[in-house]
């Protein structure tokens, strides 16, 4: 069965695709076809060459200077200057592509390949396959696919000008089908996947970021390393080797955590609101009691206390970091705003700390706690979780 990897465009977010590839290697998933647009076209060449280490090193060492000129600054003024001047020179991008592509290795590989670009001169979208791209023009066409106009100038090949293929087809699934794919793994960096666009019975496994990726022109080494980890983690989750959504946990760690703490949370909530008659018909209470949002609760704790999202955790590691952050946090609140504005005015972290302290000291202020539970259930339940784990 011919398996195709389809890589979308997405600029600096392309580091995520390297993480996906790393995970596919770990899973032992081989592929016969790679299609890509823009940065996906560049990463796709590396996949055809089977140069994972080269791809990792490329992205871990990528920064503004290697892509843009030395005068470029990561601010609105620089971007506006670029847009209004017709785009930057592509010399940095050209050098990057020249150092990445091994023409002999690419064409000797048995893995097929296709990219998307736009012939701007003739206003025509082009799908070019490995056999259709002359060896001496491979680097030019990869650059043409990645020439995100008006950030970069149009790429000239022969008498024609070319621009980024993402303006036509940013996720070239149909090109993969054209090349004979019978099974597809598509990596969508921008959540552009539209099932209706692809009229096919071919099974498509869609991998997309669970975490928020930064602006697509934000080239930064630290960010690239994080994005690689996101891609790796999300792929292992997709193939049921890790648990979690925004955060990543080793397999079955969520189940272990839930067995230890969920019943304690239920009992404590019932105890706190034992004299509150409305609790049993409250929709937030019913959802919580079902146990379906346990993962959402603990991940909300992670977000509130700003735990690193790209790591892979055991539940013990995750809880330890939460408790350490909790102990090092100081409550700084004034409960002088209307209840429905409380979280906005004092912040989620302060509200969690307030609720946590009230729960730990068996507060008598049950009416206020119940109002908070009604208006801010996720924040309340996060505090409840912390109160039973510490």
């Amino acid at each position: 069965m011919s398996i195709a990897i389809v890589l979308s465009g997405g600029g600096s977010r392309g580091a995520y695709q390297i993480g996906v590839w790393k995970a596919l290697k770990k899973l032992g998933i081989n592929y016969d076809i790679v299609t890509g647009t823009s940065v996906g076209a560049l990463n796709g060449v590396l996949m055809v060459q089977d140069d994972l280490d080269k791809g990792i090193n490329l992205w871990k060492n990528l920064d503004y200077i290697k892509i843009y000129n030395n005068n470029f600054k990561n601010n609105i003024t620089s971007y506006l200057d670029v847009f209004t001047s017709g785009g930057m020179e592509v010399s940095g991008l050209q050098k990057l592509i020249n150092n990445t592509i091994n023409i002999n290795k690419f064409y000797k590989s048995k893995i097929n390949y296709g990219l998307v670009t736009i012939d701007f001169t003739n206003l025509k979208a082009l799908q070019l396959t490995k056999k259709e791209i002359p060896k001496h023009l491979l680097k030019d066409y990869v650059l043409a696919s990645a020439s995100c106009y008006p950030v970069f100038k149009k790429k000239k090949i022969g008498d024609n000008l070319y621009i980024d293929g993402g303006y036509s087809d940013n996720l070239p699934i149909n090109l993969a089908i054209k090349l004979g794919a019978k099974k597809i793994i598509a990596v969508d960096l921008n959540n552009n996947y539209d099932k209706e666009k692809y009229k096919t019975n071919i099974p498509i496994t869609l991998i997309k970021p669970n975490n928020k990726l930064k602006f697509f022109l934000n080239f930064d080494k630290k960010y690239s390393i994080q994005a690689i980890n996101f891609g790796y983690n999300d792929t292992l989750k997709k193939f049921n080797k890790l648990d979690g959504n925004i955060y990543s946990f080793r397999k079955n760690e969520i189940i272990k955590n839930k067995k230890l703490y969920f019943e304690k949370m239920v009992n404590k909530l019932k105890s706190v609101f034992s004299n509150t008659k409305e609790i049993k018909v409250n929709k937030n209470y019913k959802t919580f009691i079902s146990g379906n949002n346990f993962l959402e609760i603990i991940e909300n704790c992670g977000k509130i206390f700003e735990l690193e999202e790209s790591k892979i955790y055991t539940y013990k590691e995750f809880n330890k970091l939460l408790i350490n952050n909790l102990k090092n946090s100081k409550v700084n609140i004034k409960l002088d705003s209307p209840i429905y504005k409380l979280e906005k005015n004092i912040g989620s972290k302060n509200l969690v700390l307030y609720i946590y302290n009230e729960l730990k000291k068996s507060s008598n202020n049950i009416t206020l706690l119940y109002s908070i539970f009604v208006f801010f259930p996720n924040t309340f339940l996060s505090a409840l979780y912390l109160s039973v784990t510490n």
Side-chain angles (χ1 to χ4, degrees):
M1 177 182 286
S2 294
I3 298 177
I5 309 297
V6 178
L7 305 173
S8 79
S12 62
R13 297 170 181 172
Y16 179 94
Q17 294 172 344
I18 300 299
V20 173
W21 182 14
K22 181 181 175 183
L24 294 177
K25 283 266 193 183
K26 181 179 177 66
L27 294 166
I29 295 175
N30 299 314
Y31 48 89
D32 311 282
I33 300 163
V34 182
T35 63
T37 298
S38 194
V39 73
L42 175 59
N43 284 335
V45 170
L46 285 165
M47 293 190 75
V48 172
Q49 295 175 185
D50 196 24
D51 276 336
L52 176 58
D53 289 341
K54 193 173 187 178
I56 292 172
N57 289 331
L58 165 73
W59 282 98
K60 282 187 174 181
N61 293 288
L62 202 58
D63 56 25
Y64 286 100
I65 294 176
K66 291 181 180 178
I67 299 294
Y68 308 127
N69 59 51
N70 292 332
N71 296 323
F72 184 86
K73 305 295 182 184
N74 183 24
N75 56 44
I76 294 175
T77 302
S78 284
Y79 286 117
L80 288 176
D81 288 344
V82 167
F83 295 155
T84 56
S85 66
M88 279 185 288
E89 295 293 339
V90 295
S91 55
L93 195 55
Q94 181 75 70
K95 184 177 180 181
L96 178 70
I97 288 172
N98 289 344
N99 292 337
T100 299
I101 294 178
N102 184 321
I103 292 175
N104 290 331
K105 201 170 185 179
F106 176 84
Y107 281 98
K108 285 181 179 179
S109 172
K110 294 181 180 180
I111 299 167
N112 208 345
Y113 174 82
L115 61 76
V116 180
T117 186
I118 294 176
D119 180 343
F120 189 80
T121 302
N122 295 305
L123 297 179
K124 181 181 179 182
L126 296 178
Q127 293 182 335
L128 299 175
T129 64
K130 190 176 184 179
K131 68 179 182 180
E132 294 169 334
I133 303 173
K135 287 186 179 181
H136 69 285
L137 292 179
L138 174 62
K139 294 178 181 180
D140 287 334
Y141 277 116
V142 171
L143 180 55
S145 180
S147 293
C148 184
Y149 180 80
V151 179
F152 295 104
K153 292 184 182 298
K154 307 177 191 77
K155 172 61 179 174
K156 189 172 185 179
I157 304 176
D159 294 327
N160 294 352
L161 296 171
Y162 295 82
I163 62 172
D164 196 305
Y167 291 112
S168 167
D169 186 358
N170 203 43
L171 190 64
I173 287 174
N174 288 331
L175 177 55
I177 295 170
K178 176 183 173 182
L179 290 174
K182 300 302 179 186
K183 186 177 180 180
I184 291 171
I185 299 172
V187 187
D188 181 10
L189 298 174
N190 304 305
N191 292 323
N192 289 328
Y193 179 75
D194 180 2
K195 189 175 182 180
E196 296 302 315
K197 184 178 178 180
Y198 309 106
K199 304 292 184 180
T200 180
N201 293 323
I202 292 174
I204 298 173
T205 300
L206 182 67
I207 299 173
K208 60 182 181 178
N210 289 328
N211 305 81
K212 186 177 181 180
L213 299 183
K214 293 189 178 179
F215 184 49
F216 77 103
L217 296 176
N218 187 355
F219 290 90
D220 175 81
K221 295 176 185 178
K222 184 178 178 181
Y223 161 56
S224 292
I225 293 170
Q226 186 183 55
I228 290 171
N229 291 337
F230 285 152
Y232 180 82
N233 296 347
D234 286 347
T235 304
L236 292 182
K237 290 174 197 173
K238 177 63 72 170
F239 288 91
N240 205 29
K241 300 299 181 182
L242 289 178
D243 292 330
N245 182 25
I246 295 171
Y247 289 90
S248 300
F249 298 88
R250 298 196 182 280
K251 193 64 188 168
N252 296 321
E253 289 294 299
I254 300 300
I255 294 173
K256 293 176 187 176
N257 201 19
K258 189 174 181 179
K259 283 182 178 179
L260 277 174
Y261 297 115
F262 179 65
E263 187 175 348
K264 291 180 181 178
M265 290 176 70
V266 171
N267 291 337
K268 183 152 192 171
L269 188 67
K270 287 180 177 179
S271 174
V272 170
F273 295 131
S274 58
N275 295 321
T276 306
K277 296 179 180 180
E278 308 97 299
I279 188 70
K280 291 186 179 180
V281 295
N282 182 278
K283 64 178 182 179
N284 299 329
Y285 176 81
K286 290 180 178 179
T287 300
F288 168 64
I289 293 295
S290 72
N292 294 332
N293 65 341
F294 182 77
L295 174 61
E296 182 182 348
I297 292 167
I298 64 172
E299 290 197 326
N300 191 52
C301 286
K303 287 192 292 183
I304 288 171
F305 287 95
E306 300 179 322
L307 299 196
E308 173 55 48
E309 294 179 12
S310 65
K311 287 184 63 177
I312 298 174
Y313 295 95
T314 65
Y315 78 87
K316 289 182 180 179
E317 292 168 340
F318 191 81
N319 289 345
K320 184 178 180 180
L321 286 171
L322 285 177
I323 298 306
N324 285 343
N325 286 2
L326 175 70
K327 289 179 178 178
N328 291 327
S329 300
K330 296 180 180 180
V331 184
N332 181 24
I333 59 175
K334 292 183 179 180
L335 299 180
D336 56 0
S337 58
I339 187 66
Y340 63 91
K341 291 184 177 180
L342 190 56
E343 187 167 46
K344 180 180 179 181
N345 288 347
I346 70 172
S348 297
K349 186 175 180 179
N350 276 324
L351 186 55
V352 162
L353 293 172
Y354 171 78
I355 300 165
Y356 170 84
N357 288 331
E358 291 297 304
L359 292 174
K360 293 298 283 186
K361 70 181 184 182
S362 300
S363 170
N364 292 320
N365 201 351
I366 303 304
T367 302
L368 176 59
L369 286 179
Y370 183 69
S371 296
I372 294 172
F373 177 65
V374 170
F375 281 97
F376 312 108
N378 291 338
T379 305
F380 184 96
L381 293 171
S382 294
L384 179 67
Y385 175 75
L386 292 169
S387 74
V388 300
T389 56
N390 182 27

